[in-house]
Amino acid sequence: MFSIQNYTVESLANQFGTPLYVYDGNKIEEQIGKMRKAYEGTNLKLKYACKALTNINIMKLMRKNGVDIDVVSTQEAHLAILAGYEPHQIQYTPSGVAFSEVQEAVALGLRMNLDSLPLLEKFGQIYGSSLPICLRINPHIMEGGTIKISTGHKDSKFGISIEQADEIYEVVKKYGLRVVGLHQHTGSDFKNAHVIIEAAEKLFELAYKYFPNLEFIDLGSGFKVAYKEDDHITDMEKLGKGVVKVFNEFCEKYGKEVELWFEPGKFLVSECGYLLARANVVKHNPGRNFVGVDSGLNHLIRPMMYDAYHEIVNGSNPDGEEKEKYDIVGYICETDTFGKDRTIPVVNEGDIIVIKNAGAYGFSMASNYNSRFRPAEALVYNGEVHLIRKRETMEDILKNQVMLEL
Ligand SMILES: *Cc1c(COP(=O)(O)O)cnc(C)c1O
């Protein structure tokens, strides 16, 4: 039987029902430890990109481990504050938001990361030199697993083009803006570790030329994690060695010990998460077998949206000798495949199917499509299990609908 720490998936499914997201809190701590180790010898600050998994208890766990937060909306900032963060521990990295939201973020006391020239101009007009800011630079590097999740290339909407450095500087001078950080985020799942060094070097050049008062350089995230065995992943230790070397050389030349920031999402929470679903039906069609489970793209959209591969296990019988090839599909009324042609131990109706690496961009991208409830979430931590989000009910589905007398 497949277990998460000391809990079998059957016992978790029986206690909380299915579909169910389960997170292993100790795995998150391991990942934090790996990052800290990889960047030893620098003044490292970790910011958890909480859009990956926004349950408030996960944020609390990050806080307990000394990890700050990166948010992309003021709503996420409110959650972080509820999780106990001080506003100055929250970096706000929006993309193309209304200026009113930027003002709200300022009022909350968040650290600002600005991503366009028009925004910089407006910000300058209103706040001048009164607030420290960070600039999100687009270094024009094509990376990231697919074009859908790549953010640092020339045609990406993100950041201020590095080719507009002179224009940035004009605005900064005009309003006396206090630039204390430079940021880049190349996109998720980059394959070549050296791109982050390439991007870093572009930021260093900007720093030398225009920004003498930096407090930090933020190298974003995009670390690739293993979704299947022998997947090409970011070797954090090796990458760390390379980054530490160029970063320390930068600090020396710059004449100041600046902080090195990263804002990982997936790297911290992907592997900790499992989506548990029950096999509703096992269907043997001519030429193809299907396992239909009580979940779907409404709960985990990555396979359909990004063609993401998630390892799938028959949690009720993970080591069974007798195997069969299946497509594992959801219960949504459109094509809704979690995994194709997976050879796993024979599945019987009622078995618990475990979809791995479901911690990042799983629940946080879930919807009520087909008017299905979103799953419950449970956290296993130090050998104890806690419910951290209740399953939805019909009330949640109806909450904001306005009933007319028709
Ligand atoms: C989404 C996001 C991240 C996290 O990316 P991962 O690939 O999940 O690590 C980091 N920084 C910014 C600005 C983001 O938008």
Side-chain angles (χ1 to χ4, degrees):
M1 180 84 66
F2 190 91
S3 294
I4 299 163
Q5 291 193 18
N6 43 335
Y7 294 92
T8 66
V9 289
E10 294 272 7
S11 71
L12 292 165
N14 289 338
Q15 186 173 353
F16 301 107
T18 54
L20 175 72
Y21 273 103
V22 184
Y23 312 114
D24 180 335
N26 298 85
K27 261 212 170 127
I28 294 176
E29 292 184 338
E30 272 172 41
Q31 294 300 93
I32 295 170
K34 279 187 206 165
M35 288 228 46
R36 291 238 163 87
K37 185 151 179 289
Y39 300 95
E40 243 167 33
T42 64
N43 203 346
L44 176 73
K45 273 241 168 113
L46 293 177
K47 310 261 152 177
Y48 167 51
C50 71
K51 73 176 189 288
L53 171 55
T54 328
N55 188 290
I56 211 157
N57 300 286
I58 300 296
M59 292 159 101
K60 282 186 161 190
L61 185 68
M62 296 291 176
R63 182 171 167 269
K64 179 166 177 255
N65 282 277
V67 176
D68 289 347
I69 289 271
D70 191 89
V71 303
V72 293
S73 68
T74 46
Q75 290 84 350
E76 282 185 353
H78 283 293
L79 291 174
I81 289 166
L82 284 174
Y85 281 99
E86 300 284 335
H88 70 85
Q89 297 174 303
I90 306 170
Q91 157 121 316
Y92 173 66
T93 306
S95 167
V97 297
F99 195 67
S100 55
E101 190 178 309
V102 171
Q103 286 173 301
E104 191 196 337
V106 168
L108 284 171
L110 312 184
R111 305 199 59 136
M112 307 300 294
N113 191 2
L114 306 181
D115 77 324
S116 77
L117 278 171
L119 176 55
L120 208 55
E121 180 80 36
K122 269 190 216 147
F123 193 89
Q125 283 168 13
I126 296 194
Y127 301 108
S129 62
S130 63
L131 294 167
I133 56 169
C134 175
L135 301 178
R136 179 169 189 171
I137 303 295
N138 181 335
H140 293 186
I141 287 174
M142 176 55 203
E143 259 297 332
T146 70
I147 195 81
K148 277 191 191 167
I149 54 175
S150 175
T151 60
H153 59 90
K154 191 164 181 172
D155 296 327
S156 153
K157 70 169 182 172
F158 293 99
I160 312 176
S161 166
I162 192 143
E163 286 171 13
Q164 293 173 311
D166 291 338
E167 287 155 74
I168 299 172
Y169 188 59
E170 283 293 300
V171 183
V172 167
K173 246 191 345 196
K174 184 156 92 187
Y175 298 105
L177 294 173
R178 260 171 66 203
V179 179
V180 297
L182 294 179
H183 166 269
Q184 75 85 33
H185 170 62
T186 335
S188 281
D189 283 359
F190 59 68
K191 289 198 184 65
N192 301 307
H194 65 83
V195 297
I196 212 160
I197 293 180
E198 237 175 88
E201 280 173 340
K202 290 193 174 193
L203 295 189
F204 299 158
E205 288 306 315
L206 273 191
Y208 296 136
K209 195 163 171 202
Y210 298 110
F211 303 107
N213 300 313
L214 294 184
E215 289 164 13
F216 64 91
I217 297 266
D218 182 343
L219 296 182
S221 179
F223 309 117
K224 193 161 162 53
V225 300
Y227 281 90
K228 53 184 158 190
E229 266 179 72
D230 68 35
D231 229 355
H232 182 100
I233 61 166
T234 301
D235 180 342
M236 196 54 91
E237 226 172 297
K238 190 163 152 231
L239 175 64
K241 282 205 181 90
V243 171
V244 169
K245 182 168 172 288
V246 296
F247 191 75
N248 285 336
E249 283 166 7
F250 162 72
C251 289
E252 195 160 313
K253 193 166 158 201
Y254 191 65
K256 187 177 167 192
E257 276 279 308
V258 299
E259 291 174 349
L260 172 61
W261 289 19
F262 282 105
E263 47 196 38
K266 193 181 276 178
F267 186 80
L268 297 184
V269 298
S270 173
E271 276 170 56
C272 85
Y274 307 83
L275 175 58
L276 274 45
R278 212 176 267 282
N280 280 339
V281 59
V282 182
K283 191 152 103 175
H284 299 278
N285 282 10
R288 202 162 273 281
N289 304 317
F290 292 96
V291 174
V293 301
D294 64 354
S295 182
L297 62 79
N298 51 330
H299 298 152
L300 180 66
I301 203 171
R302 298 187 74 260
M304 295 309 294
M305 179 136 149
Y306 306 121
D307 295 323
Y309 182 101
H310 284 258
E311 193 187 332
I312 299 175
V313 178
N314 181 350
S316 300
N317 182 22
D319 304 314
E321 303 264 302
E322 199 189 333
K323 295 192 175 162
E324 204 152 8
K325 196 197 271 184
Y326 301 101
D327 286 1
I328 290 89
V329 298
Y331 61 5
I332 288 298
C333 289
E334 64 177 272
T335 302
D336 181 18
T337 308
F338 283 123
K340 231 182 159 49
D341 293 331
R342 302 297 179 88
T343 303
I344 57 174
V346 166
V347 178
N348 293 305
E349 247 175 54
D351 281 354
I352 300 299
I353 301 299
V354 181
I355 304 177
K356 292 172 77 173
N357 270 86
Y361 310 105
F363 190 95
S364 69
M365 293 178 89
S367 77
N368 292 115
Y369 186 41
N370 281 204
S371 296
R372 298 280 183 188
F373 307 142
R374 288 181 301 167
E377 293 178 291
L379 173 67
V380 182
Y381 186 51
N382 294 338
E384 276 180 43
V385 68
H386 312 268
L387 181 68
I388 58 171
R389 189 190 300 264
K390 289 187 263 186
R391 187 175 307 286
E392 289 179 331
T393 65
M394 224 32 230
E395 247 171 58
D396 297 300
I397 303 272
L398 282 166
K399 196 163 50 194
N400 293 321
Q401 295 211 39
V402 178
M403 195 90 85
L404 302 181
E405 296 286 334
L406 293 177

